[in-house]
Short mmCIF file of all heavy atoms in Angstrom, two decimals:
data_model
loop_
_atom_site.label_atom_id
_atom_site.label_comp_id
_atom_site.label_asym_id
_atom_site.label_seq_id
_atom_site.Cartn_x
_atom_site.Cartn_y
_atom_site.Cartn_z
N MET A 1 -7.90 -10.81 0.63
CA MET A 1 -7.23 -11.82 -0.17
C MET A 1 -7.16 -11.38 -1.63
O MET A 1 -6.14 -11.57 -2.27
CB MET A 1 -7.95 -13.15 -0.03
CG MET A 1 -7.21 -14.26 -0.73
SD MET A 1 -8.13 -15.79 -0.81
CE MET A 1 -9.19 -15.46 -2.17
N LYS A 2 -8.25 -10.80 -2.14
CA LYS A 2 -8.27 -10.36 -3.54
C LYS A 2 -7.21 -9.29 -3.79
O LYS A 2 -6.52 -9.31 -4.80
CB LYS A 2 -9.67 -9.85 -3.89
CG LYS A 2 -9.86 -9.60 -5.34
CD LYS A 2 -10.05 -10.89 -6.08
CE LYS A 2 -10.55 -10.59 -7.48
NZ LYS A 2 -10.43 -11.74 -8.35
N ALA A 3 -7.08 -8.35 -2.85
CA ALA A 3 -6.06 -7.31 -2.97
C ALA A 3 -4.67 -7.92 -2.93
O ALA A 3 -3.77 -7.52 -3.69
CB ALA A 3 -6.23 -6.28 -1.87
N GLY A 4 -4.48 -8.91 -2.06
CA GLY A 4 -3.19 -9.59 -1.98
C GLY A 4 -2.87 -10.34 -3.26
O GLY A 4 -1.72 -10.35 -3.72
N GLN A 5 -3.88 -10.95 -3.85
CA GLN A 5 -3.67 -11.67 -5.11
C GLN A 5 -3.25 -10.70 -6.21
O GLN A 5 -2.30 -10.97 -6.96
CB GLN A 5 -4.94 -12.41 -5.52
CG GLN A 5 -4.78 -13.15 -6.84
CD GLN A 5 -6.08 -13.83 -7.27
OE1 GLN A 5 -7.16 -13.52 -6.78
NE2 GLN A 5 -5.95 -14.76 -8.17
N SER A 6 -3.93 -9.59 -6.30
CA SER A 6 -3.61 -8.59 -7.31
C SER A 6 -2.19 -8.07 -7.11
O SER A 6 -1.41 -7.95 -8.06
CB SER A 6 -4.62 -7.45 -7.24
OG SER A 6 -4.27 -6.44 -8.15
N ARG A 7 -1.83 -7.76 -5.87
CA ARG A 7 -0.49 -7.26 -5.57
C ARG A 7 0.56 -8.32 -5.86
O ARG A 7 1.62 -8.04 -6.42
CB ARG A 7 -0.43 -6.82 -4.10
CG ARG A 7 0.87 -6.14 -3.73
CD ARG A 7 0.79 -5.43 -2.39
NE ARG A 7 -0.18 -4.35 -2.50
CZ ARG A 7 -1.42 -4.39 -1.97
NH1 ARG A 7 -1.81 -5.43 -1.28
NH2 ARG A 7 -2.24 -3.37 -2.11
N PHE A 8 0.28 -9.57 -5.50
CA PHE A 8 1.21 -10.66 -5.76
C PHE A 8 1.45 -10.79 -7.27
O PHE A 8 2.60 -10.89 -7.72
CB PHE A 8 0.67 -11.98 -5.21
CG PHE A 8 1.64 -13.12 -5.34
CD1 PHE A 8 2.52 -13.42 -4.32
CD2 PHE A 8 1.69 -13.88 -6.50
CE1 PHE A 8 3.43 -14.47 -4.44
CE2 PHE A 8 2.60 -14.92 -6.64
CZ PHE A 8 3.47 -15.22 -5.61
N GLN A 9 0.37 -10.78 -8.05
CA GLN A 9 0.50 -10.96 -9.50
C GLN A 9 1.28 -9.81 -10.15
O GLN A 9 2.01 -10.05 -11.11
CB GLN A 9 -0.88 -11.11 -10.14
CG GLN A 9 -1.63 -12.35 -9.71
CD GLN A 9 -0.90 -13.65 -10.02
OE1 GLN A 9 -0.19 -13.77 -11.01
NE2 GLN A 9 -1.06 -14.63 -9.16
N SER A 10 1.13 -8.60 -9.63
CA SER A 10 1.79 -7.46 -10.26
C SER A 10 3.20 -7.20 -9.74
O SER A 10 3.93 -6.42 -10.35
CB SER A 10 0.94 -6.20 -10.10
OG SER A 10 0.86 -5.83 -8.74
N THR A 11 3.58 -7.81 -8.64
CA THR A 11 4.93 -7.58 -8.11
C THR A 11 5.68 -8.90 -7.92
O THR A 11 6.60 -9.19 -8.66
CB THR A 11 4.89 -6.80 -6.79
OG1 THR A 11 4.07 -7.48 -5.85
CG2 THR A 11 4.38 -5.39 -6.98
N CYS A 12 5.26 -9.68 -6.97
CA CYS A 12 5.97 -10.91 -6.62
C CYS A 12 6.07 -11.87 -7.81
O CYS A 12 7.13 -12.45 -8.08
CB CYS A 12 5.28 -11.61 -5.45
SG CYS A 12 4.94 -10.53 -4.05
N ALA A 13 4.97 -12.04 -8.52
CA ALA A 13 4.94 -12.97 -9.64
C ALA A 13 5.83 -12.47 -10.77
O ALA A 13 6.62 -13.22 -11.34
CB ALA A 13 3.51 -13.17 -10.14
N ASP A 14 5.69 -11.20 -11.10
CA ASP A 14 6.45 -10.65 -12.21
C ASP A 14 7.96 -10.62 -11.95
O ASP A 14 8.75 -10.81 -12.85
CB ASP A 14 5.97 -9.23 -12.55
CG ASP A 14 4.64 -9.22 -13.27
OD1 ASP A 14 4.20 -10.29 -13.74
OD2 ASP A 14 4.02 -8.15 -13.34
N TYR A 15 8.35 -10.38 -10.71
CA TYR A 15 9.76 -10.24 -10.40
C TYR A 15 10.46 -11.55 -10.04
O TYR A 15 11.66 -11.69 -10.27
CB TYR A 15 9.97 -9.25 -9.25
CG TYR A 15 9.68 -7.84 -9.64
CD1 TYR A 15 8.55 -7.19 -9.18
CD2 TYR A 15 10.52 -7.15 -10.50
CE1 TYR A 15 8.27 -5.88 -9.54
CE2 TYR A 15 10.25 -5.85 -10.88
CZ TYR A 15 9.13 -5.22 -10.40
OH TYR A 15 8.86 -3.94 -10.76
N CYS A 16 9.73 -12.52 -9.49
CA CYS A 16 10.45 -13.68 -8.96
C CYS A 16 9.66 -14.98 -8.96
O CYS A 16 10.11 -15.97 -9.50
CB CYS A 16 10.93 -13.38 -7.54
SG CYS A 16 12.06 -14.61 -6.89
N HIS A 17 8.49 -15.01 -8.34
CA HIS A 17 7.81 -16.26 -8.03
C HIS A 17 7.02 -16.87 -9.17
O HIS A 17 6.67 -18.04 -9.11
CB HIS A 17 6.89 -16.07 -6.82
CG HIS A 17 7.64 -15.81 -5.55
ND1 HIS A 17 8.36 -16.76 -4.90
CD2 HIS A 17 7.78 -14.66 -4.83
CE1 HIS A 17 8.92 -16.24 -3.83
NE2 HIS A 17 8.60 -14.96 -3.76
N GLY A 18 6.69 -16.09 -10.19
CA GLY A 18 5.87 -16.60 -11.28
C GLY A 18 4.39 -16.53 -10.92
O GLY A 18 4.02 -16.39 -9.76
N HIS A 19 3.55 -16.64 -11.94
CA HIS A 19 2.11 -16.48 -11.73
C HIS A 19 1.43 -17.73 -11.18
O HIS A 19 0.29 -17.67 -10.72
CB HIS A 19 1.44 -16.01 -13.02
CG HIS A 19 1.84 -14.61 -13.38
ND1 HIS A 19 1.22 -13.51 -12.83
CD2 HIS A 19 2.83 -14.14 -14.17
CE1 HIS A 19 1.80 -12.41 -13.29
NE2 HIS A 19 2.77 -12.77 -14.11
N LYS A 20 2.10 -18.85 -11.22
CA LYS A 20 1.61 -20.08 -10.57
C LYS A 20 2.73 -20.53 -9.62
O LYS A 20 3.51 -21.43 -9.94
CB LYS A 20 1.29 -21.16 -11.60
CG LYS A 20 0.12 -20.78 -12.48
CD LYS A 20 -0.26 -21.90 -13.40
CE LYS A 20 -1.45 -21.47 -14.23
NZ LYS A 20 -1.92 -22.54 -15.09
N PRO A 21 2.83 -19.88 -8.46
CA PRO A 21 3.98 -20.06 -7.58
C PRO A 21 4.04 -21.44 -6.92
O PRO A 21 3.46 -21.67 -5.86
CB PRO A 21 3.80 -18.95 -6.55
CG PRO A 21 2.32 -18.74 -6.50
CD PRO A 21 1.84 -18.97 -7.91
N ALA A 22 4.77 -22.33 -7.53
CA ALA A 22 4.91 -23.69 -7.00
C ALA A 22 5.40 -23.69 -5.55
O ALA A 22 5.09 -24.60 -4.79
CB ALA A 22 5.85 -24.50 -7.89
N LEU A 23 6.15 -22.67 -5.19
CA LEU A 23 6.68 -22.58 -3.82
C LEU A 23 5.57 -22.52 -2.79
O LEU A 23 5.75 -22.94 -1.65
CB LEU A 23 7.56 -21.33 -3.71
CG LEU A 23 8.22 -21.04 -2.36
CD1 LEU A 23 9.17 -22.17 -1.97
CD2 LEU A 23 8.95 -19.72 -2.42
N PHE A 24 4.38 -22.02 -3.18
CA PHE A 24 3.29 -21.84 -2.23
C PHE A 24 2.06 -22.70 -2.48
O PHE A 24 1.30 -22.95 -1.56
CB PHE A 24 2.85 -20.37 -2.21
CG PHE A 24 3.97 -19.42 -1.94
CD1 PHE A 24 4.35 -18.49 -2.87
CD2 PHE A 24 4.68 -19.48 -0.74
CE1 PHE A 24 5.39 -17.61 -2.64
CE2 PHE A 24 5.72 -18.61 -0.49
CZ PHE A 24 6.08 -17.67 -1.44
N ILE A 25 1.83 -23.13 -3.71
CA ILE A 25 0.61 -23.88 -4.03
C ILE A 25 0.59 -25.19 -3.25
O ILE A 25 1.52 -25.99 -3.34
CB ILE A 25 0.47 -24.12 -5.54
CG1 ILE A 25 0.25 -22.77 -6.25
CG2 ILE A 25 -0.67 -25.08 -5.85
CD1 ILE A 25 0.20 -22.85 -7.75
N GLU A 26 -0.45 -25.36 -2.46
CA GLU A 26 -0.67 -26.53 -1.61
C GLU A 26 0.45 -26.76 -0.60
O GLU A 26 0.62 -27.85 -0.08
CB GLU A 26 -0.94 -27.78 -2.45
CG GLU A 26 -2.23 -27.64 -3.24
CD GLU A 26 -2.73 -28.95 -3.83
OE1 GLU A 26 -2.31 -30.02 -3.35
OE2 GLU A 26 -3.53 -28.88 -4.75
N ARG A 27 1.23 -25.73 -0.33
CA ARG A 27 2.31 -25.84 0.65
C ARG A 27 1.71 -25.93 2.04
O ARG A 27 0.75 -25.25 2.37
CB ARG A 27 3.21 -24.61 0.56
CG ARG A 27 4.25 -24.54 1.65
CD ARG A 27 5.62 -24.44 1.10
NE ARG A 27 6.60 -24.35 2.16
CZ ARG A 27 7.60 -23.51 2.15
NH1 ARG A 27 7.75 -22.67 1.16
NH2 ARG A 27 8.47 -23.52 3.13
N GLU A 28 2.28 -26.78 2.85
CA GLU A 28 1.81 -26.97 4.22
C GLU A 28 2.84 -26.42 5.20
O GLU A 28 4.03 -26.37 4.90
CB GLU A 28 1.61 -28.45 4.51
CG GLU A 28 0.52 -29.08 3.67
CD GLU A 28 0.32 -30.56 3.98
OE1 GLU A 28 0.84 -31.04 5.00
OE2 GLU A 28 -0.36 -31.21 3.19
N GLY A 29 2.37 -26.02 6.37
CA GLY A 29 3.25 -25.71 7.48
C GLY A 29 3.80 -24.30 7.56
O GLY A 29 4.61 -24.03 8.44
N LEU A 30 3.41 -23.41 6.69
CA LEU A 30 3.88 -22.04 6.80
C LEU A 30 3.09 -21.29 7.86
O LEU A 30 1.87 -21.36 7.88
CB LEU A 30 3.73 -21.30 5.46
CG LEU A 30 4.71 -21.67 4.36
CD1 LEU A 30 4.34 -20.93 3.07
CD2 LEU A 30 6.13 -21.33 4.76
N GLU A 31 3.77 -20.61 8.72
CA GLU A 31 3.11 -19.80 9.75
C GLU A 31 2.92 -18.39 9.20
O GLU A 31 3.82 -17.84 8.56
CB GLU A 31 3.96 -19.75 11.01
CG GLU A 31 4.14 -21.10 11.68
CD GLU A 31 2.85 -21.63 12.28
OE1 GLU A 31 2.02 -20.81 12.70
OE2 GLU A 31 2.68 -22.85 12.31
N ALA A 32 1.77 -17.81 9.46
CA ALA A 32 1.44 -16.48 8.94
C ALA A 32 2.49 -15.44 9.35
O ALA A 32 2.90 -14.62 8.53
CB ALA A 32 0.05 -16.07 9.40
N GLU A 33 2.91 -15.45 10.60
CA GLU A 33 3.90 -14.48 11.05
C GLU A 33 5.23 -14.66 10.34
O GLU A 33 5.91 -13.68 10.04
CB GLU A 33 4.09 -14.57 12.57
CG GLU A 33 2.93 -13.96 13.32
CD GLU A 33 3.20 -13.91 14.82
OE1 GLU A 33 4.32 -13.55 15.22
OE2 GLU A 33 2.27 -14.23 15.58
N TYR A 34 5.62 -15.90 10.08
CA TYR A 34 6.86 -16.16 9.35
C TYR A 34 6.78 -15.58 7.94
O TYR A 34 7.72 -14.93 7.47
CB TYR A 34 7.13 -17.67 9.30
CG TYR A 34 8.28 -18.03 8.40
CD1 TYR A 34 9.59 -17.90 8.84
CD2 TYR A 34 8.06 -18.49 7.10
CE1 TYR A 34 10.65 -18.22 8.00
CE2 TYR A 34 9.12 -18.80 6.26
CZ TYR A 34 10.41 -18.66 6.72
OH TYR A 34 11.46 -18.97 5.88
N VAL A 35 5.66 -15.79 7.26
CA VAL A 35 5.49 -15.27 5.91
C VAL A 35 5.51 -13.74 5.94
O VAL A 35 6.19 -13.09 5.14
CB VAL A 35 4.19 -15.80 5.27
CG1 VAL A 35 3.95 -15.17 3.91
CG2 VAL A 35 4.24 -17.32 5.14
N PHE A 36 4.78 -13.15 6.90
CA PHE A 36 4.76 -11.69 7.05
C PHE A 36 6.18 -11.16 7.25
O PHE A 36 6.61 -10.22 6.57
CB PHE A 36 3.87 -11.29 8.23
CG PHE A 36 3.85 -9.81 8.46
CD1 PHE A 36 2.87 -9.03 7.87
CD2 PHE A 36 4.79 -9.19 9.27
CE1 PHE A 36 2.85 -7.64 8.07
CE2 PHE A 36 4.78 -7.82 9.48
CZ PHE A 36 3.80 -7.05 8.88
N ASN A 37 6.91 -11.74 8.19
CA ASN A 37 8.26 -11.26 8.50
C ASN A 37 9.20 -11.43 7.31
O ASN A 37 10.06 -10.58 7.07
CB ASN A 37 8.82 -11.98 9.72
CG ASN A 37 8.10 -11.60 10.99
OD1 ASN A 37 7.49 -10.54 11.08
ND2 ASN A 37 8.15 -12.47 11.98
N THR A 38 9.05 -12.51 6.56
CA THR A 38 9.90 -12.73 5.39
C THR A 38 9.61 -11.70 4.31
O THR A 38 10.54 -11.19 3.68
CB THR A 38 9.74 -14.16 4.86
OG1 THR A 38 10.06 -15.09 5.91
CG2 THR A 38 10.65 -14.41 3.67
N ILE A 39 8.35 -11.40 4.09
CA ILE A 39 8.01 -10.37 3.10
C ILE A 39 8.56 -9.02 3.58
O ILE A 39 9.20 -8.29 2.82
CB ILE A 39 6.48 -10.29 2.88
CG1 ILE A 39 5.98 -11.57 2.22
CG2 ILE A 39 6.14 -9.08 2.01
CD1 ILE A 39 4.47 -11.71 2.18
N ARG A 40 8.32 -8.70 4.83
CA ARG A 40 8.75 -7.40 5.38
C ARG A 40 10.27 -7.26 5.41
O ARG A 40 10.83 -6.26 4.96
CB ARG A 40 8.20 -7.21 6.79
CG ARG A 40 8.55 -5.85 7.39
CD ARG A 40 8.19 -5.76 8.85
NE ARG A 40 8.96 -6.76 9.58
CZ ARG A 40 8.59 -7.26 10.76
NH1 ARG A 40 7.49 -6.85 11.35
NH2 ARG A 40 9.34 -8.16 11.36
N ASP A 41 10.97 -8.29 5.92
CA ASP A 41 12.40 -8.19 6.20
C ASP A 41 13.28 -8.83 5.15
O ASP A 41 14.50 -8.70 5.20
CB ASP A 41 12.71 -8.82 7.55
CG ASP A 41 11.93 -8.18 8.69
OD1 ASP A 41 11.60 -6.98 8.59
OD2 ASP A 41 11.63 -8.89 9.67
N GLY A 42 12.70 -9.59 4.22
CA GLY A 42 13.49 -10.31 3.23
C GLY A 42 14.00 -11.62 3.79
O GLY A 42 13.73 -12.00 4.92
N GLY A 43 14.77 -12.32 2.97
CA GLY A 43 15.27 -13.64 3.35
C GLY A 43 16.46 -13.62 4.28
O GLY A 43 16.85 -14.65 4.80
N LYS A 44 17.05 -12.46 4.50
CA LYS A 44 18.18 -12.30 5.42
C LYS A 44 19.31 -13.28 5.13
O LYS A 44 19.88 -13.88 6.03
CB LYS A 44 17.72 -12.42 6.87
CG LYS A 44 16.78 -11.33 7.29
CD LYS A 44 16.44 -11.45 8.76
CE LYS A 44 15.56 -10.29 9.18
NZ LYS A 44 15.26 -10.33 10.60
N GLY A 45 19.58 -13.53 3.87
CA GLY A 45 20.67 -14.41 3.48
C GLY A 45 20.26 -15.86 3.32
O GLY A 45 20.94 -16.62 2.64
N ALA A 46 19.18 -16.29 3.96
CA ALA A 46 18.72 -17.67 3.83
C ALA A 46 18.11 -17.90 2.45
O ALA A 46 18.15 -19.00 1.93
CB ALA A 46 17.71 -18.01 4.92
N THR A 47 17.52 -16.85 1.89
CA THR A 47 16.98 -16.88 0.53
C THR A 47 17.34 -15.54 -0.12
O THR A 47 17.65 -14.57 0.59
CB THR A 47 15.44 -17.03 0.52
OG1 THR A 47 14.85 -15.81 0.95
CG2 THR A 47 14.98 -18.19 1.37
N PRO A 48 17.29 -15.44 -1.43
CA PRO A 48 17.61 -14.17 -2.08
C PRO A 48 16.48 -13.14 -2.05
O PRO A 48 16.60 -12.07 -2.62
CB PRO A 48 17.92 -14.59 -3.52
CG PRO A 48 17.15 -15.84 -3.73
CD PRO A 48 17.14 -16.54 -2.39
N MET A 49 15.40 -13.43 -1.35
CA MET A 49 14.27 -12.51 -1.33
C MET A 49 14.64 -11.18 -0.68
O MET A 49 15.16 -11.15 0.44
CB MET A 49 13.10 -13.12 -0.57
CG MET A 49 11.91 -12.19 -0.52
SD MET A 49 10.41 -13.05 -0.27
CE MET A 49 9.34 -11.68 0.12
N PRO A 50 14.38 -10.08 -1.39
CA PRO A 50 14.67 -8.77 -0.81
C PRO A 50 13.58 -8.36 0.18
O PRO A 50 12.46 -8.87 0.13
CB PRO A 50 14.65 -7.83 -2.03
CG PRO A 50 13.68 -8.48 -2.96
CD PRO A 50 13.86 -9.97 -2.75
N PRO A 51 13.87 -7.42 1.07
CA PRO A 51 12.85 -6.92 1.98
C PRO A 51 11.87 -5.99 1.25
O PRO A 51 12.28 -5.19 0.41
CB PRO A 51 13.65 -6.14 3.03
CG PRO A 51 14.91 -5.74 2.33
CD PRO A 51 15.18 -6.82 1.32
N TRP A 52 10.60 -6.12 1.58
CA TRP A 52 9.56 -5.29 0.97
C TRP A 52 8.90 -4.37 2.00
O TRP A 52 7.93 -3.68 1.69
CB TRP A 52 8.51 -6.18 0.32
CG TRP A 52 9.01 -6.86 -0.91
CD1 TRP A 52 9.65 -8.07 -0.97
CD2 TRP A 52 8.94 -6.38 -2.25
NE1 TRP A 52 9.98 -8.37 -2.27
CE2 TRP A 52 9.55 -7.34 -3.08
CE3 TRP A 52 8.43 -5.23 -2.83
CZ2 TRP A 52 9.65 -7.19 -4.44
CZ3 TRP A 52 8.53 -5.08 -4.20
CH2 TRP A 52 9.14 -6.04 -4.99
N GLY A 53 9.41 -4.35 3.22
CA GLY A 53 8.79 -3.59 4.29
C GLY A 53 8.76 -2.09 4.07
O GLY A 53 7.93 -1.40 4.66
N GLU A 54 9.63 -1.57 3.24
CA GLU A 54 9.60 -0.14 2.94
C GLU A 54 8.77 0.16 1.69
O GLU A 54 8.57 1.31 1.34
CB GLU A 54 11.02 0.40 2.80
CG GLU A 54 11.76 0.36 4.13
CD GLU A 54 13.13 1.00 4.05
OE1 GLU A 54 13.40 1.78 3.10
OE2 GLU A 54 13.94 0.72 4.93
N VAL A 55 8.34 -0.89 1.01
CA VAL A 55 7.53 -0.73 -0.21
C VAL A 55 6.06 -0.90 0.12
O VAL A 55 5.22 -0.11 -0.32
CB VAL A 55 7.96 -1.76 -1.28
CG1 VAL A 55 7.08 -1.66 -2.51
CG2 VAL A 55 9.44 -1.59 -1.63
N PHE A 56 5.74 -1.94 0.90
CA PHE A 56 4.35 -2.25 1.25
C PHE A 56 4.06 -1.84 2.68
O PHE A 56 4.92 -1.95 3.56
CB PHE A 56 4.08 -3.76 1.13
CG PHE A 56 4.26 -4.32 -0.24
CD1 PHE A 56 4.97 -5.50 -0.42
CD2 PHE A 56 3.73 -3.71 -1.36
CE1 PHE A 56 5.13 -6.05 -1.69
CE2 PHE A 56 3.88 -4.24 -2.63
CZ PHE A 56 4.59 -5.42 -2.80
N THR A 57 2.83 -1.42 2.93
CA THR A 57 2.38 -1.15 4.30
C THR A 57 2.17 -2.50 5.00
O THR A 57 2.11 -3.56 4.35
CB THR A 57 1.05 -0.38 4.31
OG1 THR A 57 0.02 -1.23 3.77
CG2 THR A 57 1.15 0.92 3.53
N GLN A 58 2.00 -2.45 6.32
CA GLN A 58 1.71 -3.68 7.05
C GLN A 58 0.42 -4.31 6.55
O GLN A 58 0.35 -5.53 6.40
CB GLN A 58 1.62 -3.41 8.55
CG GLN A 58 2.95 -3.19 9.18
CD GLN A 58 2.87 -3.20 10.70
OE1 GLN A 58 1.82 -3.37 11.30
NE2 GLN A 58 4.02 -3.04 11.32
N GLU A 59 -0.58 -3.50 6.28
CA GLU A 59 -1.86 -4.02 5.77
C GLU A 59 -1.67 -4.71 4.42
O GLU A 59 -2.21 -5.79 4.19
CB GLU A 59 -2.88 -2.89 5.64
CG GLU A 59 -4.23 -3.38 5.14
CD GLU A 59 -5.26 -2.27 5.04
OE1 GLU A 59 -5.10 -1.23 5.68
OE2 GLU A 59 -6.22 -2.48 4.29
N GLU A 60 -0.87 -4.12 3.56
CA GLU A 60 -0.62 -4.73 2.25
C GLU A 60 0.12 -6.06 2.38
O GLU A 60 -0.15 -7.02 1.66
CB GLU A 60 0.15 -3.76 1.36
CG GLU A 60 -0.67 -2.58 0.93
CD GLU A 60 0.14 -1.48 0.26
OE1 GLU A 60 1.35 -1.34 0.54
OE2 GLU A 60 -0.45 -0.75 -0.56
N ILE A 61 1.05 -6.12 3.33
CA ILE A 61 1.78 -7.38 3.56
C ILE A 61 0.81 -8.44 4.08
O ILE A 61 0.84 -9.59 3.62
CB ILE A 61 2.96 -7.18 4.52
CG1 ILE A 61 4.02 -6.27 3.87
CG2 ILE A 61 3.58 -8.52 4.90
CD1 ILE A 61 5.14 -5.85 4.79
N TRP A 62 -0.09 -8.07 5.01
CA TRP A 62 -1.08 -9.04 5.50
C TRP A 62 -1.99 -9.51 4.38
O TRP A 62 -2.42 -10.67 4.35
CB TRP A 62 -1.86 -8.49 6.68
CG TRP A 62 -1.09 -8.56 7.96
CD1 TRP A 62 -0.70 -7.52 8.73
CD2 TRP A 62 -0.60 -9.74 8.61
NE1 TRP A 62 0.00 -7.98 9.83
CE2 TRP A 62 0.08 -9.33 9.77
CE3 TRP A 62 -0.66 -11.10 8.31
CZ2 TRP A 62 0.69 -10.24 10.65
CZ3 TRP A 62 -0.06 -12.01 9.19
CH2 TRP A 62 0.61 -11.58 10.33
N GLU A 63 -2.30 -8.63 3.42
CA GLU A 63 -3.10 -9.05 2.26
C GLU A 63 -2.35 -10.08 1.43
O GLU A 63 -2.93 -11.06 0.97
CB GLU A 63 -3.46 -7.82 1.42
CG GLU A 63 -4.45 -6.91 2.08
CD GLU A 63 -4.61 -5.56 1.40
OE1 GLU A 63 -3.86 -5.25 0.44
OE2 GLU A 63 -5.50 -4.81 1.83
N LEU A 64 -1.04 -9.88 1.27
CA LEU A 64 -0.22 -10.87 0.57
C LEU A 64 -0.22 -12.20 1.32
O LEU A 64 -0.33 -13.27 0.72
CB LEU A 64 1.21 -10.36 0.39
CG LEU A 64 1.40 -9.28 -0.66
CD1 LEU A 64 2.76 -8.61 -0.48
CD2 LEU A 64 1.28 -9.88 -2.05
N VAL A 65 -0.07 -12.12 2.64
CA VAL A 65 -0.09 -13.34 3.46
C VAL A 65 -1.41 -14.08 3.27
O VAL A 65 -1.43 -15.30 3.10
CB VAL A 65 0.16 -13.01 4.95
CG1 VAL A 65 -0.05 -14.24 5.83
CG2 VAL A 65 1.56 -12.44 5.16
N ALA A 66 -2.52 -13.35 3.27
CA ALA A 66 -3.84 -13.97 3.08
C ALA A 66 -3.92 -14.68 1.74
O ALA A 66 -4.44 -15.80 1.64
CB ALA A 66 -4.94 -12.93 3.21
N TYR A 67 -3.40 -14.05 0.70
CA TYR A 67 -3.42 -14.69 -0.62
C TYR A 67 -2.54 -15.94 -0.62
O TYR A 67 -2.97 -17.01 -1.09
CB TYR A 67 -2.95 -13.72 -1.71
CG TYR A 67 -2.74 -14.43 -3.02
CD1 TYR A 67 -3.82 -14.99 -3.69
CD2 TYR A 67 -1.48 -14.60 -3.56
CE1 TYR A 67 -3.64 -15.69 -4.87
CE2 TYR A 67 -1.29 -15.30 -4.74
CZ TYR A 67 -2.37 -15.84 -5.39
OH TYR A 67 -2.18 -16.54 -6.56
N ILE A 68 -1.34 -15.84 -0.10
CA ILE A 68 -0.44 -17.00 -0.08
C ILE A 68 -1.07 -18.13 0.72
O ILE A 68 -1.00 -19.29 0.33
CB ILE A 68 0.94 -16.59 0.48
CG1 ILE A 68 1.64 -15.65 -0.52
CG2 ILE A 68 1.81 -17.81 0.78
CD1 ILE A 68 2.85 -14.93 0.03
N LYS A 69 -1.71 -17.79 1.82
CA LYS A 69 -2.39 -18.80 2.63
C LYS A 69 -3.52 -19.46 1.83
O LYS A 69 -3.73 -20.67 1.92
CB LYS A 69 -2.95 -18.18 3.90
CG LYS A 69 -3.58 -19.17 4.82
CD LYS A 69 -3.99 -18.54 6.14
CE LYS A 69 -4.58 -19.61 7.04
NZ LYS A 69 -4.88 -19.10 8.37
N SER A 70 -4.23 -18.68 1.02
CA SER A 70 -5.37 -19.23 0.27
C SER A 70 -4.96 -20.25 -0.77
O SER A 70 -5.76 -21.10 -1.15
CB SER A 70 -6.14 -18.09 -0.40
OG SER A 70 -5.49 -17.62 -1.56
N ILE A 71 -3.72 -20.19 -1.26
CA ILE A 71 -3.29 -21.17 -2.26
C ILE A 71 -2.50 -22.32 -1.65
O ILE A 71 -2.13 -23.26 -2.34
CB ILE A 71 -2.48 -20.50 -3.40
CG1 ILE A 71 -1.23 -19.83 -2.88
CG2 ILE A 71 -3.36 -19.52 -4.17
CD1 ILE A 71 -0.32 -19.25 -3.95
N GLY A 72 -2.27 -22.23 -0.34
CA GLY A 72 -1.58 -23.30 0.37
C GLY A 72 -2.56 -24.13 1.19
O GLY A 72 -3.78 -24.03 1.03
N ARG A 73 -1.99 -24.96 2.06
CA ARG A 73 -2.81 -25.79 2.97
C ARG A 73 -2.23 -25.65 4.36
O ARG A 73 -1.55 -26.53 4.85
CB ARG A 73 -2.77 -27.24 2.52
CG ARG A 73 -3.45 -27.48 1.19
CD ARG A 73 -3.58 -28.93 0.88
NE ARG A 73 -2.24 -29.50 0.63
CZ ARG A 73 -2.00 -30.78 0.54
NH1 ARG A 73 -2.96 -31.67 0.68
NH2 ARG A 73 -0.78 -31.22 0.29
N TRP A 74 -2.50 -24.50 5.00
CA TRP A 74 -1.99 -24.30 6.35
C TRP A 74 -3.01 -23.81 7.28
O TRP A 74 -4.06 -23.79 7.27
CB TRP A 74 -0.76 -23.38 6.45
CG TRP A 74 -0.47 -22.38 5.40
CD1 TRP A 74 -0.35 -22.60 4.05
CD2 TRP A 74 -0.22 -20.99 5.55
NE1 TRP A 74 -0.03 -21.45 3.39
CE2 TRP A 74 0.06 -20.45 4.28
CE3 TRP A 74 -0.19 -20.15 6.64
CZ2 TRP A 74 0.36 -19.11 4.09
CZ3 TRP A 74 0.11 -18.82 6.43
CH2 TRP A 74 0.39 -18.31 5.19
#
């Protein structure tokens, strides 16, 4: 989770979501696989999120998922 937080703050926060990501804080109902796939594959037109699967390893994406989960309620 700590690694995911650090990665989120240096990439996701700086580029798009902000350092206090309202989109995820206390968010309910997100499935871990959905978050993983969205980070890996991007929003596929449903959102402007680009794919990060060629930038981050699977382990790094799971670390991001763990961090996002820690600030939500799922």
Side-chain angles (χ1 to χ4, degrees):
M1 186 189 80
K2 190 76 168 166
Q5 179 183 17
S6 177
R7 187 167 295 105
F8 185 93
Q9 296 301 327
S10 66
T11 56
C12 310
D14 286 346
Y15 290 108
C16 190
H17 293 288
H19 291 277
K20 293 185 179 184
L23 180 62
F24 305 117
I25 293 175
E26 296 194 19
R27 173 124 179 224
E28 296 181 13
L30 286 175
E31 296 292 329
E33 286 186 43
Y34 171 80
V35 176
F36 178 92
N37 291 337
T38 302
I39 294 170
R40 183 189 62 203
D41 302 331
K44 296 184 176 183
T47 72
M49 179 156 167
W52 289 88
E54 293 185 18
V55 177
F56 298 134
T57 66
Q58 285 192 359
E59 181 179 339
E60 290 169 333
I61 294 172
W62 281 117
E63 291 168 353
L64 286 165
V65 172
Y67 170 66
I68 292 167
K69 184 174 182 174
S70 78
I71 61 175
R73 293 189 292 169
W74 24 306

